[in-house]
Structures are given as C-alpha cells and as structure tokens.
Amino acid sequence: MSKESFLPATGTRDIEPISAQIRNDVIYKITSGYKKYGFNSIETPSLEKLENLVGKKGGENEKLIFKILKRGDELKEALKNGSADENDIADFGLRYDLTVPLARYYAHYKDKLPKPFKVFQIGNVWRAERPQKSRYRQFTQCDIDIIGDPTANCEIELIYVTCKTLQELKIKNFEVRINDRQILKKISENCGINNDNQYRDFLIALDKLDKKSLDDVIEELRKKSFAEDVLLKIKNTFESLKTGQNNQHENYLKSSDSLKLIIETVKTLLGDVSIRFDPALVRGMDYYTGTIYEVNEINGSISFGGGGRYNNMIGGFSGQDISACGFSLGFERIIDAFFSGSDAQNAGVVKKAALIYSSDKDNYCDIIKLSESFRSKYDVVSIFERQKNMANQLEKLKAVGFTHWGIFKSDNTVIDKLEK
Amino acid sequence: MSKESFLPATGTRDIEPISAQIRNDVIYKITSGYKKYGFNSIETPSLEKLENLVGKKGGENEKLIFKILKRGDELKEALKNGSADENDIADFGLRYDLTVPLARYYAHYKDKLPKPFKVFQIGNVWRAERPQKSRYRQFTQCDIDIIGDPTANCEIELIYVTCKTLQELKIKNFEVRINDRQILKKISENCGINNDNQYRDFLIALDKLDKKSLDDVIEELRKKSFAEDVLLKIKNTFESLKTGQNNQHENYLKSSDSLKLIIETVKTLLGDVSIRFDPALVRGMDYYTGTIYEVNEINGSISFGGGGRYNNMIGGFSGQDISACGFSLGFERIIDAFFSGSDAQNAGVVKKAALIYSSDKDNYCDIIKLSESFRSKYDVVSIFERQKNMANQLEKLKAVGFTHWGIFKSDNTVIDKLEK
C-alpha cells in the first residue's frame, strides 16, 4: 500500500497528541463556563435526514453537504433506475452547522423544555469545501443559544457569558463590536436603497469593509449598477459615521430598540471589556433578523466568534414564530490563538513525566507500584522501556509533550533524576 | 412539516440535557484517568477513504459502513455511466470503529512516535445497523492501546489502568476474565479439531457459552458436522475445566507464554479486583492473536469492556509486523449502568439553581450581578423570567436537571428562598 494512502481523507486531518491535549483542555474550559452560567448541554447526531438539511437558510453551506448513500434494497432499487440522481440515492447528510439540528431538536422537544431554553452544543460539523490550506472539511463548532425570549436580556447574557469564558481561557485584548440589522435597514433606506436585491448587495459589499477601503466597496456597488446619488449618500454616511460628524452614531443608535441598553449593561457588567457600536458590521448569514455582534482581537485580525438574533429559523421547522439569539465561538481560531500566544501556550501544558526502566533488571510490577508515588508530583506519569538510542527516545517523548523524565535505578527503589 | 420529520435520522438519537451532562462527566473522568497514566490522546476524522475501511479485518462491521457520495464532476461522471454501482459513486465512509483509523494513523506517523506508543481515542463511530431498541447507528467508543511492545507489560498496564478508571467512576463489583488464543488453540488441538474452518466454528459456538448451556453449544457444533469423538472431548474438557478436575486449569495455563504472569501481577497491583482465567472466553473479533480479556459485573450480565492482543492489524497498513494490545470500554453500557445504579446516578449530578425574576420590576443588570454571588454555593446558576404558571415552569426546569430554585425579591437585593 502506498504511503499516500495512510493520509487522512482529503481535506481532513489527524490531531496529534499535543494538539489533542490542548483541544481537550479548551473544550473542557468552554463547557465548564457555559454550564456554570446555566446553559444546558445537548448532543444531536452527526447525520440528519437530508430533507432536514436543505432549504433551511443554510445559504452556501447547503451546497457543501456530504451526502450519505442509501443502503441495501433501497439503494439497489434507486440504482436500477438508470436516470438515478443524487436525491434518489442519498437519504442522510452530515450536518454543516449546529443551528439546523438545534432547530429540529427544539421543534421535537419544545413542550417539555423550559422557556426560555438556554442551551449549548459543541460538536463537529462537515463541509465539502474545496481542499485548501487551513480550511478543513471537518471542524468543531461551539454554539450557545437562548430560545424563546424576545428581550435584550438574551444578547446581554450571551455576550456576558462569552466574554467571561474567553477570560477564563486567558484570552486578553479583545473587544465586542455590535450592530443591528434594523440600523443597517435604516441606513440603507436613508441612502435611497429601495428594494430587497439592492439591500442584499449592499450588505454583501459592506461586509468586506474590514478588509477593503470604503472606495473599493463603493466601486463594487457601482458595478452592481447602484445609482450615483445612492453611492454618494453611502460614502457620506459611512465617512461621517467613522469620524463621528453630525452626531450620526447617536441618531442611528435610536433606530434599534435595544442596542443602547445592551451596550450600557455590558459596560456595567464587564468594565474591563470594550464594547462598541460598529454600523459597518454585517455578518454574512442570511438568517439574522436583529442584533448582530462579533468579538475580535483589538487592533488584530483574529475573530474569536460572533452571533446575533435570528427570529425565524428555529420556528421554521414547526411553522411557529419563535425568537432566538445565539453566540458561536470560533473554536479552531481560538486553538490557533492558543498556539501562537505565549501565555496561551502554557495553558494546555501539564507536567508530564516519562519514567524509563530496563527490562533486563527491572520487575514491571515493582515499577508500576513505584510510578504511583510520582503521581502526586506530576500530572502525567508514563512508563517506557529503555531503548538502545535513549537520546532519540527522549526526542520522540518530547514530541508528544513529555516535559520531564527519570530513570529507575538498579535497586528498583529510587528515581535517578527528573529533568526538564 | 409533519411531527415525524422532527425526529433524528433513523436509528440515531438526540441526547437530552441530563444525559448529556452525565455523558460529559463520564468522558471527562475516563479521559483524566487515561491521561494521568501517560496515554496520549489523538483524534482522527470521522470519515476515512473507503479503501481504508474495507478489507481491514473489520468482519461483519465492514458491511455496515455508511458510504459518502462523491461530489461535483466526479459524481456526475459516475452517474452518467448507466451501470453505476456503490463503489463508483462513493469515495469516503464513516468509521465503524477506532482501531482501523488508529492503524492508518500509526502507519503515517510511526517514525516520529515514541516506542511503545501509548494512545487513547474517544469518539463516535457509525454502523448502518437495522434499527432496533437500544442499538444505535451512532455511538461512542473509548479505546486505549499500546503499540510496538510485544511483552506482557502491555496487558498488565491496560488492565491496571482500565480497572483504576472504573474505580474512579465509582463502578464496583466487577471482575476481569482473561484467556489466550494460544490456549484456545491448544484445547482445540487436544480435542481433535484439525482445520481452520472447524477451529473458527468452534470459537463462534464457544463464544455463546455465557448465554447457552454446554449441551447447546455441543449441539450447535453437531449441526456443523463435528465428529462425535471430537464433541465428546470438547464436552469432557469444558466440564473438567469448570469443576477443576485433573488440574486442567494449570495444564492449559502453561500453554500461554504470559497468562500466569499477567494474572499474578494484576493480583499484586489490584488486590481489590478479582481476575480469573476463563478458558471459555473467546471474544468475537477475528483479529485477536494472543491474550483476550473482558471486564464484567460479578454475577451480572453487564460487560464494561474488553480487549486483547492483535499483532497483525496495526502493521497491516504498512505491511510490517507490529505488536499491539488494546482495551475498549463500552461507553454506552457504562452510561446505562450509571443511570441504573443508585451510587452512580449521583456521580453526574451537580447543584443546579434556577433564579427567577419578574420582568416588570427587576432590572436585568442588577439580577446578573446578584446571581454571581450564588456561584460559590451552586455549581450552576441560571436566570429565568417568571412565567404565569410557575408550577409548570419549575417542572420543566426539574426535567433539565435543576435541583434548587429561588425568587428575586422586589427590592432586588435578597433571594427569597432556595429549596430542593
């Protein structure tokens, strides 16, 4: 078998010991935070009926579903039919996010759930992306949501709990940017945008303002045949919002029912966290209906997560109008930040000792007994037979995270030395 | 949309808050145990290339693979071909166990891994079983393995760590049964079984001895055309092994290179755990080559896990001879034991308090601040708006695991009462 075939499936990856340990630790800390603040954990299956994944406001993600082949007679029947197409031969799909499964879950269990339902789910999702660097087809999402509460208490609590959790993870130097789709709608109307398609194009272009200049955004809209007077109004609006001219910020803040309250409450609760109104924040997902927010590195490019209010989606399954608000942490990005930050790197590290014995003179039963006495001093104690090339052996142990090592002496009673 | 469609995919299940909490706690305890004893955690993707899942000694499980449809042009091309069959239109599959992915992982990374490689993996696996009660198509497995050590130290350490972990989970009253394929081979030879097919049939029938009588097992073999003199020898052998006649146990124990050493060492290390040689223990999997063991409830029917030595499979990918030994905990069965046992039920329970406010008089900012003062007293503190029917509200909170509740007084300073 070729070396090639030992690789994981295209676009996926194996997580090696040191990374796996850090990922476990981070998931444990996030879980503990969410639990402490009273969110309930649920698990839904990785695979869902295909009909429950398509047509669910998943946007582009719906095109990236891994579909699962029917089995047995059903498949035979479908393949016999010469004109078989995808939808005849597949019945399940791997979930592409955790929100659609949550909506299905809520529709099924809502009668026995508390109102509001405060819930979190951490799990893998799968998207058949074209393989490219650091974009994986399987990755972990961490979502918390409050379902069934239409008030701004949701936004306050979700931002509060998320910031507390980031602080628990020793992530510093972050800020919350917040906006409201009501405000974006108001701005667009004031600029003379007067149909849904134009409004959509406006949001798509504006969403790029953190990477592009205002002029480039305007240019993109010009290509979409926006009228010159509309373009001028957009340019003036965002310039004066940026410089704070004409009290524009205050004026637009009033277009939201709750944004001012949320900002002020979060400031009171979390004096050490910066939260600011950002009228250019859009967040791509189609399904947001009200407040939207994102938590970012200050003066940096890392986004640690985001979310907002999406009042129609949860009810979509049961045909009811159910309010919902969520915050999703970008788990993979947080892990990257953990690896690159110096504080962070230590967060996942434990005292891991490798104790080495020689099989010719040492008795394994005595060695196990002896090793127990080191478990109070080291978080991890592992036993290895001494190899001929001990320098190479220690290198490999270091590569899987061992920080200390020791050798059993020939009288089997004392550890020779333990060094970092 | 029909109520039916809110159900999870056929044969899978949603895990509700209380169960999810217990499952999280149990996984955390198992992980901590494995880590403390120096096993490295790895993660492999849920999907693997199909070619890496089939023909890998997975036995019956290979027939139960969920196959994933090719995508884009590749799929179009395959479907255009009228005679399309399963193998043309699928390229990935969901893993049916954690051992095949481990074998692939080891083949890929072996040059930089310590020797032996002590590893654990906890994750979901998928099998397209026919839907039936308490048999799920997605379930969690917990495997620990030692790769690259041919000595009995592996068996000693795996049994030791697994028993310690079960004790950590407050599971009592269990025993380890142990046998060796070398002994089963010796018994079969002594009974006059003289070809591989007969040996296989003998193992398959013997494996049922914990549910069937010896006479029924003999009858099953008679139907497979075993000669009467062979059947008589089998009957005599297992009867005298059961009663301890003729020193048969001791005689057969000598057929194994290591069984006696393993049993004696485990007895010394774990005086409070019973370990006994069971010559009728088979364990179904084709791939075991030496020692096999299982950990069971004493005088009960629950098996908490099992494993053994499987020296050819890990090397199968790279075409090398690599020794390997593993122990797999039956996670779902342990969870069931947790639910049914009275001690165990408490293990997952935390002090969960619901604090209830009235939106007409209470300020949410003050409420969040106040709630923080209860976090030292309760593991979980969650805030809920008072509903009209508070009795019903409390019932629903109880259903997701809340054990205590309190009401904010109108002056927003004191909690009214907290009761179980």
Side-chain angles (χ1 to χ4, degrees):
Chain A
M1 207 175 255
S2 75
K3 179 98 184 162
E4 185 93 321
S5 54
F6 311 154
L7 288 171
T10 327
T12 68
R13 67 196 153 147
D14 296 316
I15 312 281
E16 298 183 67
I18 293 181
S19 303
Q21 182 179 308
I22 292 177
R23 292 170 71 93
N24 283 344
D25 291 347
V26 172
I27 283 186
Y28 180 70
K29 280 178 186 156
I30 294 173
T31 304
S32 304
Y34 289 172
K35 264 162 76 173
K36 194 171 103 179
Y37 286 96
F39 285 77
N40 297 289
S41 144
I42 63 162
E43 291 174 42
T44 59
S46 306
L47 30 89
E48 290 275 350
K49 291 177 203 158
L50 253 187
E51 72 221 51
N52 283 347
L53 292 174
V54 292
K56 292 289 177 292
K57 299 198 175 180
E60 291 296 305
N61 295 333
E62 290 190 8
K63 294 182 192 154
L64 303 175
I65 299 172
F66 280 109
K67 295 178 180 173
I68 291 169
L69 216 55
K70 286 180 179 169
R71 294 148 305 281
D73 292 342
E74 270 193 82
L75 178 66
K76 273 184 204 142
E77 198 56 41
L79 284 176
K80 223 187 277 169
N81 183 338
S83 67
D85 84 351
E86 284 185 53
N87 300 320
D88 295 327
I89 52 180
D91 56 356
F92 299 148
L94 290 173
R95 62 187 181 196
Y96 53 79
D97 72 6
L98 300 176
T99 308
V100 172
L102 174 64
R104 182 194 54 71
Y105 181 94
Y106 190 78
H108 186 58
Y109 297 93
K110 65 178 177 343
D111 294 339
K112 57 175 186 168
L113 295 174
K115 199 181 161 216
F117 183 44
K118 300 185 178 187
V119 59
F120 74 92
Q121 190 171 194
I122 298 178
N124 285 323
V125 302
W126 293 265
R127 292 179 194 169
E129 306 259 15
R130 256 173 218 291
Q132 54 181 297
K133 200 173 168 292
S134 67
R135 195 115 181 221
Y136 292 99
R137 289 171 156 191
Q138 169 177 320
F139 56 95
T140 302
Q141 286 202 327
C142 307
D143 282 11
I144 43 172
D145 294 272
I146 300 178
I147 301 171
D149 180 353
T151 76
N153 293 348
C154 296
E155 282 87 342
I156 293 168
E157 189 161 5
L158 290 171
I159 295 170
Y160 179 68
V161 171
T162 301
C163 291
K164 285 276 188 185
T165 302
L166 288 174
Q167 287 173 337
E168 199 63 39
L169 288 171
K170 309 254 186 297
I171 293 175
K172 291 165 193 159
N173 211 32
F174 61 83
E175 65 167 359
V176 180
R177 293 181 301 131
I178 188 165
N179 196 7
D180 192 320
R181 286 279 165 102
Q182 290 177 301
I183 293 175
L184 286 167
K185 190 78 196 160
K186 189 82 188 168
I187 290 177
S188 79
E189 282 166 8
N190 287 351
C191 292
I193 292 167
N194 52 24
N195 69 55
D196 284 351
N197 281 344
Q198 270 201 329
Y199 178 55
R200 223 185 114 80
D201 286 339
F202 166 67
L203 292 189
I204 289 170
L206 192 62
D207 197 22
K208 298 171 185 159
L209 202 52
D210 50 350
K211 284 175 197 127
K212 286 181 169 182
S213 71
L214 182 55
D215 284 337
D216 286 344
V217 167
I218 299 288
E219 193 47 42
E220 181 175 328
L221 291 174
R222 184 170 282 120
K223 283 184 189 146
K224 296 262 179 191
S225 309
F226 275 55
E228 284 304 321
D229 62 323
V230 172
L231 293 175
L232 189 64
K233 280 181 190 158
I234 294 174
K235 191 170 154 77
N236 288 340
T237 302
F238 282 92
E239 266 169 359
S240 64
L241 276 167
K242 201 174 172 186
T243 55
Q245 281 173 323
N246 307 327
N247 218 15
Q248 286 253 39
H249 262 92
E250 274 305 310
N251 287 339
Y252 277 121
L253 258 179
K254 285 180 201 150
S255 325
S256 162
D257 299 328
S258 55
L259 204 53
K260 209 164 173 174
L261 172 70
I262 296 167
I263 292 172
E264 279 164 10
T265 309
V266 169
K267 275 183 181 159
T268 310
L269 289 171
L270 291 164
D272 48 347
V273 170
S274 152
I275 177 167
R276 67 179 173 88
F277 168 44
D278 178 356
L281 180 72
V282 174
R283 290 192 60 76
M285 302 295 281
D286 256 3
Y287 61 68
Y288 290 116
T289 57
T291 334
I292 41 183
Y293 33 76
E294 223 171 274
V295 53
N296 298 79
E297 202 183 16
I298 296 177
N299 302 322
S301 60
I302 302 171
S303 162
F304 294 113
R309 184 167 284 281
Y310 56 106
N311 274 350
N312 299 321
M313 191 180 174
I314 292 287
F317 270 85
S318 47
Q320 287 172 304
D321 187 18
I322 295 165
S323 49
C325 197
F327 209 132
S328 184
L329 279 178
F331 179 75
E332 309 293 344
R333 256 175 269 135
I334 287 174
I335 292 295
D336 289 345
F338 259 70
F339 273 111
S340 58
S342 57
D343 279 338
Q345 204 150 32
N346 293 321
V349 170
V350 291
K351 278 198 280 182
K352 249 178 121 171
L355 305 185
I356 292 164
Y357 70 97
S358 300
S359 59
D360 53 342
K361 46 188 177 190
D362 297 329
N363 173 306
Y364 203 61
C365 183
D366 294 339
I367 286 166
I368 290 186
K369 278 192 200 163
L370 257 174
S371 72
E372 284 290 6
S373 62
F374 290 89
R375 297 203 197 278
S376 55
K377 201 171 164 190
Y378 301 94
D379 304 306
V380 169
V381 176
S382 193
I383 312 165
F384 292 91
E385 189 184 349
R386 182 173 182 148
Q387 308 280 310
K388 273 181 200 149
N389 184 343
M390 200 168 101
N392 177 272
Q393 182 177 20
L394 293 178
E395 268 315 300
K396 288 182 173 176
L397 289 170
K398 217 172 141 189
V400 294
F402 283 93
T403 52
H404 297 72
W405 57 274
I407 299 174
F408 285 96
K409 275 178 70 174
S410 56
D411 62 357
N412 267 348
T413 52
V414 199
I415 293 294
D416 200 17
K417 54 178 174 176
L418 279 161
E419 295 188 345
K420 195 160 188 164
Chain B
M1 209 174 255
S2 74
K3 178 98 184 163
E4 185 91 322
S5 53
F6 311 154
L7 288 171
T10 325
T12 68
R13 69 197 152 148
D14 297 315
I15 313 280
E16 298 183 68
I18 292 183
S19 303
Q21 183 180 307
I22 293 178
R23 291 170 71 92
N24 283 343
D25 291 348
V26 172
I27 284 185
Y28 180 71
K29 280 178 187 156
I30 295 174
T31 305
S32 303
Y34 290 172
K35 264 161 78 173
K36 195 170 103 180
Y37 286 94
F39 286 77
N40 296 289
S41 144
I42 63 162
E43 292 174 40
T44 59
S46 306
L47 31 88
E48 290 277 350
K49 293 178 203 157
L50 255 186
E51 72 219 52
N52 283 347
L53 292 175
V54 292
K56 291 290 178 290
K57 299 198 176 181
E60 291 297 305
N61 295 332
E62 290 189 8
K63 295 183 189 153
L64 304 175
I65 300 170
F66 279 109
K67 296 179 179 174
I68 291 169
L69 216 55
K70 285 180 179 171
R71 296 147 303 280
D73 292 341
E74 269 193 85
L75 179 66
K76 272 182 207 144
E77 198 56 42
L79 284 176
K80 222 188 278 169
N81 184 339
S83 66
D85 84 352
E86 286 186 50
N87 299 321
D88 294 327
I89 52 182
D91 56 354
F92 298 148
L94 290 174
R95 62 186 180 197
Y96 54 80
D97 73 6
L98 300 176
T99 308
V100 172
L102 173 63
R104 181 195 53 71
Y105 181 95
Y106 191 79
H108 187 57
Y109 297 93
K110 67 179 181 333
D111 293 340
K112 58 177 186 165
L113 295 174
K115 197 178 163 223
F117 184 44
K118 300 185 179 188
V119 60
F120 73 94
Q121 189 169 196
I122 297 178
N124 285 323
V125 302
W126 292 264
R127 292 179 193 169
E129 305 259 15
R130 256 174 218 290
Q132 54 181 299
K133 199 171 169 292
S134 69
R135 195 111 182 225
Y136 292 99
R137 288 171 156 189
Q138 171 178 319
F139 56 95
T140 301
Q141 286 202 329
C142 306
D143 283 11
I144 43 170
D145 295 90
I146 299 179
I147 301 172
D149 179 352
T151 75
N153 294 349
C154 297
E155 282 88 340
I156 294 168
E157 189 162 9
L158 291 171
I159 294 171
Y160 180 68
V161 171
T162 302
C163 290
K164 284 276 187 186
T165 303
L166 289 174
Q167 288 174 336
E168 199 64 40
L169 289 169
K170 309 254 187 296
I171 293 175
K172 290 165 193 160
N173 211 33
F174 60 83
E175 65 167 358
V176 180
R177 292 181 302 131
I178 187 164
N179 196 8
D180 192 318
R181 286 279 165 104
Q182 291 177 300
I183 293 174
L184 286 167
K185 191 77 195 161
K186 189 81 188 170
I187 291 177
S188 79
E189 283 167 6
N190 287 352
C191 292
I193 292 167
N194 52 25
N195 71 54
D196 284 352
N197 281 343
Q198 270 201 329
Y199 180 54
R200 223 184 115 81
D201 287 340
F202 168 67
L203 292 189
I204 289 170
L206 193 62
D207 199 21
K208 297 172 184 159
L209 202 52
D210 50 350
K211 283 174 197 124
K212 285 182 170 180
S213 70
L214 182 55
D215 283 336
D216 287 345
V217 167
I218 298 288
E219 193 48 42
E220 182 175 327
L221 290 174
R222 182 170 285 123
K223 282 180 191 148
K224 297 259 179 194
S225 310
F226 275 56
E228 285 303 320
D229 63 321
V230 172
L231 293 175
L232 189 65
K233 280 182 192 159
I234 294 175
K235 192 169 152 76
N236 288 340
T237 303
F238 282 93
E239 266 168 1
S240 63
L241 277 167
K242 203 174 172 189
T243 55
Q245 283 172 321
N246 307 329
N247 219 13
Q248 285 254 39
H249 263 91
E250 274 304 310
N251 287 339
Y252 277 122
L253 258 177
K254 286 181 201 147
S255 327
S256 162
D257 298 331
S258 54
L259 204 53
K260 208 164 173 174
L261 172 70
I262 297 168
I263 293 174
E264 278 165 11
T265 310
V266 170
K267 276 184 181 159
T268 310
L269 289 171
L270 291 164
D272 48 347
V273 171
S274 151
I275 176 166
R276 66 179 173 90
F277 168 44
D278 178 356
L281 181 72
V282 174
R283 291 192 60 76
M285 304 293 283
D286 257 3
Y287 61 68
Y288 291 116
T289 57
T291 333
I292 42 183
Y293 33 77
E294 224 170 275
V295 52
N296 298 80
E297 204 182 16
I298 297 178
N299 301 323
S301 61
I302 302 170
S303 161
F304 295 113
R309 182 166 286 280
Y310 56 105
N311 273 349
N312 299 320
M313 191 181 176
I314 292 289
F317 271 88
S318 46
Q320 287 173 306
D321 186 19
I322 295 165
S323 49
C325 197
F327 210 132
S328 184
L329 279 178
F331 180 74
E332 309 293 344
R333 257 176 269 137
I334 288 173
I335 292 296
D336 289 346
F338 259 70
F339 273 111
S340 58
S342 56
D343 281 336
Q345 203 151 33
N346 292 320
V349 170
V350 292
K351 279 198 280 183
K352 253 179 116 171
L355 306 184
I356 292 164
Y357 70 97
S358 300
S359 59
D360 52 343
K361 45 189 179 191
D362 297 329
N363 174 305
Y364 203 63
C365 183
D366 294 339
I367 286 167
I368 289 186
K369 278 191 198 164
L370 258 174
S371 72
E372 284 288 9
S373 62
F374 289 89
R375 297 204 197 277
S376 54
K377 201 170 163 191
Y378 300 96
D379 304 306
V380 168
V381 176
S382 193
I383 313 165
F384 293 89
E385 189 184 349
R386 181 175 182 146
Q387 307 283 309
K388 273 179 200 151
N389 183 344
M390 200 168 103
N392 178 271
Q393 182 177 19
L394 293 179
E395 268 315 300
K396 286 179 174 177
L397 288 169
K398 217 173 139 188
V400 294
F402 283 93
T403 52
H404 296 72
W405 57 275
I407 299 173
F408 286 96
K409 277 179 71 174
S410 56
D411 62 357
N412 267 348
T413 51
V414 198
I415 292 293
D416 200 18
K417 55 178 175 177
L418 278 161
E419 298 187 342
K420 194 157 189 167

